[in-house]
Amino acid sequence: MSKVPSLSSIDEPFKNAPPEIQRIVTQVIKIEKDRLDKNELGRINEDILTIVKEEVQ
């Protein structure tokens, strides 16, 4: 029997992450959602790299 994590424990790492990481994750999720909504299954590596570079500066 496997343990199913509660919903509060799933987002705990995100809530405890520094603000910069939260912004990166939020932006990456947004661009992934936009691509899925448009049925674009292309790569998003360049977009993610741009997001991280902007946040690090």
Side-chain angles (χ1 to χ4, degrees):
M1 185 173 179
S2 66
K3 291 185 176 182
V4 176
S6 68
L7 289 178
S8 62
S9 68
I10 290 173
D11 65 349
E12 186 175 331
F14 178 76
K15 288 181 178 179
N16 294 331
E20 302 85 19
I21 302 301
Q22 290 181 3
R23 287 190 295 269
I24 290 170
V25 171
T26 301
Q27 291 178 26
V28 169
I29 289 171
K30 183 186 178 306
I31 63 170
E32 182 63 21
K33 181 188 177 303
D34 291 345
R35 287 181 188 262
L36 290 173
D37 287 346
K38 296 175 186 174
N39 288 326
E40 292 179 6
L41 301 177
R43 303 169 89 180
I44 64 170
N45 294 340
E46 290 298 320
D47 294 338
I48 293 172
L49 182 61
T50 302
I51 290 168
V52 172
K53 283 181 178 179
E54 287 174 358
E55 197 59 47
V56 170
Q57 291 179 350

